[in-house]
């Protein structure tokens, strides 16, 4: 650490970047956050940011956090976290354009400043080899003095979107992968100082950038694999008389070697991380090993959705003109994020087959976000509308849905894709479908 608290910069203020910005701000660090989305900056300045307590956001804005669309506020930053999106292209390759744009803008600011040593930390998920490539790009193309006066580190995040700040303040582990010992030590020491102030001591692992990135992908792919495997067992149970996959996997999950996380059959995996990470790493793994194992995991995930669509079609005989309600449209409970939401994909598939789709989410913003993507989707604004449906599908395990379906007419079929609804008139998808 320098003779004063390092000034911390963060580029990209979605849930990852904002969580780190707030965490450092809460514990005495001066933080400068940049995002090119003016609406996001306005929302942060009013404290109205989903999944972050308003009083906490306003507190750090008053005391130690500055947010702006202008990269110039990063002039004095000693360490800058880049937390922008790295989406997957249609061919499965990774789109690094946002990371490169952030580096270009940062370099334009830093080239006019005198400094002893600074570090760029990639929080964005990138494939092994990318950090060193970006460090070379920063040196050879952008003219930054790497590694003499600018270090590069990859430090993956392991955050849940709806609990991001909690996960930053109390992580299971912190991973630091620098291009050299100096940059790794700088970042590891920064985290040690942060967690000393938090009063929490997570294990900090200093590795190569390639190892750091592989830890992130190995973790996410394994979670995706658990979801796909649980749903695969669910499909098997549908073909066996008197077999309930929820009961099977509940007992399987009691084995401490397996655990209960991500092990219960339900919706296929989706969301802003797992889908893109599986696709990107699948392509990378095939190039490195020639084995398409991870690609098959994703194919299994898509097969589950196909089976759900087939089941719905068989239940209604024909989807043409049928009114279908989908309860839960975000990718997970508590979130408004509909990116790669499997519920939204399901809605799209049913629309293509001629059904009329009506959606609801306990998080109203999720419903609004979905409606922006599909203008021909109706909204369930009053639960009494459910009694006009031909079919109701529950995709997220909200307690509210378990309560409201008690008021639904017994003649309306209800399919539970969460395995959590305890009601006799609800058909659990992963229960035996055989009629022997």
């Amino acid at each position: 650490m320098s003779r004063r608290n390092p000034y911390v910069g963060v580029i990209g203020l979605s849930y990852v970047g904002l969580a780190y910005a707030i965490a450092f701000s809460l514990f005495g660090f001066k933080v400068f956050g940049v995002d090119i989305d003016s609406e996001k900056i306005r929302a942060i300045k009013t404290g109205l940011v989903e999944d972050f307590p308003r009083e906490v956001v306003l507190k750090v804005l008053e005391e130690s956090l500055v947010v702006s669309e202008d990269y110039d506020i990063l002039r004095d930053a000693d360490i800058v976290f880049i937390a922008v999106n790295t989406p997957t292209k249609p061919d499965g390759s990774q789109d690094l354009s946002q990371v490169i744009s952030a580096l270009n803008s940062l370099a334009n600011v830093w080239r006019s400043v005198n400094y002893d040593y600074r570090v760029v930390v990639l929080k964005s998920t990138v494939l092994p080899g990318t950090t060193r490539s970006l460090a070379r790009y920063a040196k050879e193309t952008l003219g930054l003095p790497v590694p003499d006066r600018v270090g590069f580190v990859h430090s993956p995040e392991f955050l849940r979107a709806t609990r991001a700040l909690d996960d930053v303040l109390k992580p299971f582990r912190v991973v630091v992968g620098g291009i050299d010992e100096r940059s790794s030590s700088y970042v590891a020491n920064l985290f040690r100082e942060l967690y000393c102030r938090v009063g929490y001591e997570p294990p900090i692992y200093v590795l190569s950038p390639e190892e750091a990135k592989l830890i992130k992908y190995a973790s996410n792919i394994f979670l995706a694999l658990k979801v796909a495997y649980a749903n695969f067992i669910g499909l098997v149970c549908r073909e066996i008389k008197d077999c309930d996959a929820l009961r099977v996997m509940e007992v399987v999950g009691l084995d401490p070697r397996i655990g209960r996380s991500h092990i219960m059959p339900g919706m296929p995996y989706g969301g802003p991380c797992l889908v893109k990470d599986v696709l990107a790493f699948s392509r990378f793994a095939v190039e490195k090993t020639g084995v398409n194992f991870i690609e098959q995991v994703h194919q299994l995930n898509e097969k589950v959705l196909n089976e759900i669509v087939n089941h719905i079609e068989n239940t209604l005989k024909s989807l043409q003109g049928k009114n279908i309600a989908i309860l839960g449209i975000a990718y997970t409970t508590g979130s408004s994020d509909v990116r790669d939401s499997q519920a939204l994909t399901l809605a799209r598939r049913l629309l293509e087959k001629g059904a009329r789709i009506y959606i609801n989410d306990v998080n109203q913003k999720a419903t609004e976000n979905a409606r922006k993507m599909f203008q021909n989707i109706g909204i369930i604004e009053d639960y009494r509308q459910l009694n006009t449906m031909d079919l109701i599908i529950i995709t997220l395990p909200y307690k509210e849905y378990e309560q409201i379906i008690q008021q639904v007419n017994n003649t309306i079929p209800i399919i539970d894709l969460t395995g959590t609804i305890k009601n006799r008139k609800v058909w659990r998808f992963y229960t035996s479908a055989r009629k022997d």
Side-chain angles (χ1 to χ4, degrees):
M1 297 295 93
S2 61
R3 60 184 178 275
R4 57 164 171 78
N5 282 340
Y7 286 175
V8 177
V10 179
I11 301 174
L13 295 176
S14 293
Y15 74 88
V16 173
L18 186 58
Y20 279 96
I22 291 175
F24 278 103
S25 298
L26 281 172
F27 289 92
F29 292 89
K30 186 68 177 177
V31 181
F32 304 92
V34 174
D35 199 294
I36 61 173
D37 185 339
S38 58
E39 290 187 11
K40 189 178 297 180
I41 294 296
R42 281 196 295 271
I44 293 171
K45 286 182 176 180
T46 61
L48 298 175
V49 187
E50 186 176 14
D51 299 320
F52 291 88
R54 187 167 188 261
E55 62 276 12
V56 172
V57 177
L58 294 178
K59 171 183 169 64
V60 295
L61 285 170
E62 182 179 347
E63 296 178 356
S64 54
L65 174 62
V66 178
V67 296
S68 175
E69 301 166 61
D70 187 355
Y71 272 81
D72 197 56
I73 68 169
L74 299 176
R75 289 174 59 83
D76 296 327
D78 299 291
I79 181 168
V80 173
F81 293 89
I82 296 180
V84 297
N85 194 20
T86 51
T88 302
K89 297 178 183 178
D91 65 356
S93 62
Q94 197 167 58
D95 183 354
L96 296 175
S97 60
Q98 293 183 46
V99 175
I100 292 172
S101 176
L103 270 180
N104 288 344
S105 298
L106 180 63
N108 287 337
V109 173
W110 277 5
R111 277 195 295 264
S112 62
V113 179
N114 292 321
Y115 53 86
D116 293 327
Y117 186 70
R118 294 182 171 184
V119 181
V120 175
V121 182
L122 291 175
K123 280 291 176 186
S124 303
T125 302
V126 293
L127 289 165
T130 306
T131 301
R132 295 189 197 276
S133 296
L134 290 171
R136 286 194 298 271
Y137 173 78
K139 179 178 182 177
E140 297 169 5
T141 303
L142 302 181
L144 292 179
V146 179
D148 298 335
R149 292 192 294 120
V150 174
F152 264 77
V153 167
H154 181 63
S155 179
E157 52 83 15
F158 304 95
L159 311 182
R160 296 164 293 177
T162 57
R163 300 291 300 275
L165 183 57
D166 292 341
D167 290 343
V168 169
L169 293 176
K170 289 194 174 182
F172 293 122
R173 76 283 205 196
V174 174
V175 176
V176 176
I179 62 170
D180 56 17
E181 183 178 353
R182 187 181 184 187
S183 58
S184 291
S185 296
Y186 189 99
V187 176
N189 287 336
L190 176 71
F191 279 122
R192 289 189 185 100
E193 179 62 27
L194 170 65
Y195 292 113
C196 178
R197 299 179 190 188
V198 172
Y200 175 77
E201 189 175 350
I204 296 177
Y205 296 94
V206 177
L207 309 159
S208 72
E210 291 74 22
E211 290 168 331
K213 282 186 278 290
L214 198 54
I215 288 168
K216 169 68 173 182
Y217 276 106
S219 298
N220 275 3
I221 302 307
F222 186 66
L223 293 177
L225 174 59
K226 290 183 76 174
V227 173
Y229 178 72
N231 289 341
F232 172 71
I233 296 300
L235 295 183
V236 172
C237 287
R238 284 176 54 78
E239 300 302 318
I240 303 174
K241 186 180 180 182
D242 297 327
C243 194
D244 186 331
L246 279 302
R247 289 201 292 262
V248 171
M249 296 311 291
E250 182 178 11
V251 179
V252 168
L254 295 177
D255 188 328
R257 297 170 301 172
I258 297 172
R260 303 185 70 174
S261 167
H262 296 72
I263 202 66
M264 299 305 290
M267 286 290 287
Y269 64 75
C273 293
L274 289 189
V275 173
K276 76 178 184 67
D277 288 357
V278 169
L279 291 173
F281 193 70
S282 171
R283 188 175 189 269
F284 178 83
V286 169
E287 291 173 354
K288 296 299 181 184
T289 69
V291 178
N292 67 348
F293 165 67
I294 298 171
E295 181 182 340
Q296 291 176 349
V297 171
H298 193 67
Q299 290 173 354
L300 173 57
N301 196 59
E302 294 189 328
K303 177 178 174 57
V304 171
L305 192 65
N306 290 338
E307 292 295 324
I308 291 171
V309 172
N310 290 340
H311 175 68
I312 293 169
E313 198 161 18
N314 291 335
T315 299
L316 294 178
K317 308 306 180 186
S318 170
L319 295 179
Q320 190 67 41
K322 296 296 173 63
N323 296 319
I324 299 176
I326 297 179
L327 304 183
I329 203 68
Y331 84 96
T332 190
T333 55
S335 176
S336 66
D337 199 338
V338 296
R339 288 176 295 171
D340 283 318
S341 161
Q342 293 294 341
L344 197 57
T345 302
L346 175 61
R348 181 188 300 113
R349 295 278 298 275
L350 298 177
L351 281 169
E352 290 171 352
K353 288 178 174 288
R356 291 192 291 262
I357 302 301
Y358 298 83
I359 63 172
N360 175 274
D361 198 287
V362 172
N363 187 318
Q364 187 175 352
K365 191 173 179 183
T367 306
E368 295 170 0
N369 289 339
R371 185 63 182 275
K372 292 175 185 176
M373 300 177 68
F374 291 97
Q375 297 297 321
N376 54 342
I377 284 181
I379 306 297
I380 299 290
E381 297 177 343
D382 184 330
Y383 288 132
R384 286 176 294 185
Q385 291 175 252
L386 294 176
N387 283 313
T388 67
M389 297 293 121
D390 296 299
L391 177 72
I392 298 169
I393 307 168
I394 303 172
T395 62
L396 288 179
Y398 282 112
K399 285 291 184 183
E400 184 170 343
Y401 292 150
E402 186 170 0
Q403 295 168 2
I404 63 101
I405 62 170
Q406 297 177 20
Q407 311 303 319
V408 174
N409 294 337
N410 291 334
T411 57
I412 300 174
I414 303 172
I415 299 175
D416 173 27
L417 298 177
T418 72
T420 63
I421 306 298
K422 297 177 175 61
N423 191 304
R424 288 188 174 183
K425 63 184 177 183
V426 173
W427 177 260
R428 290 164 68 171
F429 177 71
Y430 291 107
T431 300
S432 174
R434 290 194 57 171
K435 306 295 183 184
D436 292 351

